[in-house]
Amino acid sequence: MEKVLIMGLALKSQEEAEDSLVELKGLVEALGAEVVLELIQSRQQPDGRTYFGKGKVEEIKLLCEEKEITLAVVDDELGGSHLRNLAELLPVPLMDRTTLILDIFAQRSRTKLAHYQVEMAQLRYNRTHLVGVGKFLSQQGAGIGTRGPGETKLELDRRKIDTRISELKAKIEEQKSVLATQRKKRMDRELPILALVGYTNAGKSSLMNWFIRNYEAPGGEVYVEDMLFATLDTFVRKIRLEDGMEFFLIDTVGFIRKLPELLVDAFQSTLEEVSYADLILHVLDGSRDDVAEQEQATTEVLARIGAGHIPRMELLNKKDLGESLLMKGIPISVKTGENMDLLIEKIKDELFSRHHLCSFLFSYTAGAVLSRFLEQNTPLEKEYKGEGTWILAKVSPRQLEEFREYLDHEIN
Ligand SMILES: Nc1nc2c(ncn2[C@@H]2O[C@H](COP(=O)(O)OP(=O)(O)OP(=O)(O)O)[C@@H](O)[C@H]2O)c(=O)[nH]1
Ligand SMILES: [Mg+2]
């Protein structure tokens, strides 16, 4: 098993650096490695050459030997030259936070789309970090000429990477069109779409499963695990509440602070589904004292994927473990079921407040109109009468207009 040293800079505050390091520890453990040492250096800004200060690097070197460290991880995304300079000075392999997250994503990806997206992010990362190595190699051969052998090799590597990136782009486009077709089918049903969004490990998939179990939604449960980034794909289930109200529920990949930009870009296709939602259920782990940071990390990503304008409901999950007073929201516990009835009421208010309870009468000659109605709506009651099919249903204002010709009674 790897024995890992994790280390970071406290640029703003010690507390923030510590919180971030706790999370990095979780990321390391998610890869099945053990953290044996943690280290924070307070600085105004990173050292230009080696990221950590000179003295600190010396100390890190000694600690690596003393504690028999096998891998060092820096809690930040390092530039090519920082990575190279620091790696050169340390007796063990070095990784940054971004590489680590990319590794986890690579390990967890199950679907084709997720595989392609992760590979794309990894290649993009390697491409920019090759540049640093290239400069270094060409400097080594400075006496011979400006273009050392390293640079030529680098050009070649870059070209290979670019070719593969183009291939991946095409494959992702293919998968995207599959998603688009599925999405179109859903949108044709004209049911509201609800997206579960939030920090990794907050309980999004657990909440999804709660809905699936309680309302016997077809399609099976989704994967839940006490680890970071359990979900990497988008899952959709149709939920039908007791009174016949229906919506699509979407579960997707979770966020984390300092989520690498290139990962958000690469996962655009997966995350895009969220931007079609009518309502976002923002799930936070309310038992942690960093709810505000969770909230901020999510808000940033939502803005980046073009979902910043969608109405949001904040859910402070894991109430059974503790309740945060730092943020407004509905305290719930998916585990114990506490306040779930309240949540359902709020969802109904938000999604269906403009719906009307109506009865319709479709004459037997209006078979095509009736099928169209049934495609969009699951009636509460249905009866075959002499004049035609009688239906009781909750309809949206738009549906009421479309089928007004067949309206029997507008009840409320
Ligand atoms: N105590 C407690 N644990 C919960 C609650 N809800 C979820 N969990 C646990 O939290 C862990 C993470 O839950 P998930 O549903 O996988 O979280 P997620 O938000 O989907 O996480 P990612 O897919 O990684 O983004 C699991 O171990 C759940 O059992 C809750 O209300 N109380
Ligand atoms: Mg999940």
Side-chain angles (χ1 to χ4, degrees):
M1 204 209 261
E2 296 269 18
K3 292 172 79 177
V4 185
L5 158 67
I6 56 177
M7 49 197 189
L9 285 184
L11 296 170
K12 286 187 204 133
S13 75
Q14 182 74 15
E15 198 192 342
E16 192 185 287
E18 278 170 17
D19 283 351
S20 182
L21 219 56
V22 169
E23 206 164 71
L24 184 66
K25 189 172 177 210
L27 290 167
V28 170
E29 287 165 358
L31 276 171
E34 183 196 5
V35 173
V36 293
L37 201 60
E38 301 175 24
L39 207 143
I40 291 176
Q41 184 182 29
S42 248
R43 280 187 75 97
Q44 297 273 297
Q45 58 188 55
D47 179 88
R49 251 185 62 76
T50 52
Y51 189 75
F52 295 98
K54 216 176 189 174
K56 200 69 181 179
V57 176
E58 276 309 309
E59 187 190 329
I60 295 169
K61 232 163 97 177
L62 292 175
L63 281 169
C64 282
E65 276 149 19
E66 193 182 311
K67 304 275 180 195
E68 298 178 337
I69 300 294
T70 59
L71 175 72
V73 182
V74 182
D75 188 18
D76 199 355
E77 179 167 329
L78 294 190
S81 79
H82 270 148
L83 203 59
R84 181 187 72 238
N85 293 339
L86 197 55
E88 231 176 90
L89 294 172
L90 297 184
V92 297
L94 179 75
M95 243 189 193
D96 67 356
R97 186 181 172 102
T98 299
T99 318
L100 194 74
I101 295 178
L102 287 176
D103 267 26
I104 296 175
F105 269 59
Q107 215 182 57
R108 302 260 199 278
S109 63
R110 292 281 170 271
T111 61
K112 270 191 205 163
L113 180 61
H115 275 306
Y116 297 149
Q117 292 180 137
V118 176
E119 192 185 341
M120 175 94 121
Q122 281 179 321
L123 287 178
R124 289 222 163 112
Y125 181 84
N126 289 344
R127 193 187 190 284
T128 50
H129 286 73
L130 270 177
V131 176
V133 179
K135 279 200 192 115
F136 165 68
L137 290 175
S138 66
Q139 271 162 18
Q140 291 245 304
I144 311 164
T146 43
R147 279 185 154 254
E151 187 79 1
T152 319
K153 165 87 170 49
L154 185 74
E155 293 289 312
L156 197 70
D157 287 348
R158 270 215 224 119
R159 222 174 302 140
K160 269 197 217 151
I161 289 181
D162 288 345
T163 312
R164 181 63 187 154
I165 286 181
S166 313
E167 276 172 25
L168 284 170
K169 267 190 192 153
K171 287 175 189 287
I172 289 172
E173 279 307 312
E174 245 170 64
Q175 296 297 313
K176 252 178 108 162
S177 65
V178 176
L179 288 184
T181 313
Q182 291 167 349
R183 187 190 315 128
K184 184 170 179 311
K185 266 195 198 152
R186 279 199 297 278
M187 294 181 92
D188 281 349
R189 299 275 330 250
E190 307 220 17
L191 296 180
I193 298 172
L194 245 104
L196 294 162
V197 168
Y199 219 70
T200 178
N201 213 43
K204 299 178 294 299
S205 302
S206 304
L207 182 53
M208 175 94 161
N209 283 343
W210 184 88
F211 275 102
I212 293 173
R213 234 171 277 150
N214 273 268
Y215 299 102
E216 294 166 14
E221 297 192 8
V222 296
Y223 182 58
V224 167
E225 192 62 66
D226 188 10
M227 65 181 181
L228 302 175
F229 300 117
T231 310
L232 275 201
D233 292 291
T234 301
F235 299 92
V236 185
R237 296 288 183 274
K238 195 174 89 181
I239 307 295
R240 180 176 152 81
L241 302 179
E242 301 95 340
D243 47 12
M245 291 182 183
E246 289 178 304
F247 55 85
F248 284 110
L249 188 62
I250 295 185
D251 178 29
T252 190
V253 54
F255 308 147
I256 197 165
R257 71 189 80 184
K258 301 191 218 164
L259 187 65
E261 187 101 12
L262 81 176
L263 209 47
V264 177
D265 288 346
F267 271 70
Q268 186 72 37
S269 318
T270 301
L271 292 169
E272 201 179 70
E273 298 300 321
V274 172
S275 64
Y276 293 94
D278 297 289
L279 175 65
I280 286 175
L281 292 184
H282 180 187
V283 187
L284 297 118
D285 183 340
S287 72
R288 284 173 35 166
D289 50 20
D290 67 345
V291 266
E293 283 82 7
Q294 293 178 47
E295 199 276 334
Q296 202 191 341
T298 303
T299 302
E300 276 168 20
V301 181
L302 285 178
R304 254 151 75 187
I305 60 171
H309 62 285
I310 301 172
R312 237 190 278 176
M313 209 184 270
E314 260 70 42
L315 310 180
L316 305 171
N317 190 29
K318 308 199 186 182
K319 186 172 186 290
D320 55 297
L321 295 181
E323 201 172 338
S324 168
L325 301 171
L326 297 165
M327 248 197 75
K328 274 195 190 154
I330 311 172
I332 59 163
S333 168
V334 175
K335 192 175 174 182
T336 63
E338 197 179 343
N339 275 349
M340 296 306 269
D341 43 353
L342 179 69
L343 172 62
I344 299 290
E345 284 314 310
K346 296 257 184 201
I347 291 177
K348 280 191 201 165
D349 279 355
E350 189 69 33
L351 288 183
F352 304 109
S353 56
R354 292 181 308 274
H355 275 50
H356 303 265
L357 180 66
C358 299
S359 62
F360 294 88
L361 188 64
F362 294 94
S363 59
Y364 289 113
T365 51
V369 188
L370 176 60
S371 346
R372 177 157 167 75
F373 183 90
L374 293 176
E375 260 170 37
Q376 297 180 19
N377 201 301
T378 311
L380 297 167
E381 282 173 41
K382 197 163 139 190
E383 241 177 77
Y384 298 103
K385 297 196 169 175
E387 318 90 281
T389 310
W390 181 87
I391 276 172
L392 181 70
K394 282 232 168 178
V395 295
S396 68
R398 201 212 49 73
Q399 286 171 338
L400 179 59
E401 278 326 298
E402 181 176 347
F403 300 103
R404 188 172 280 287
E405 202 184 319
Y406 302 91
L407 184 67
D408 175 37
H409 277 295
E410 197 174 327
I411 297 159
N412 64 38

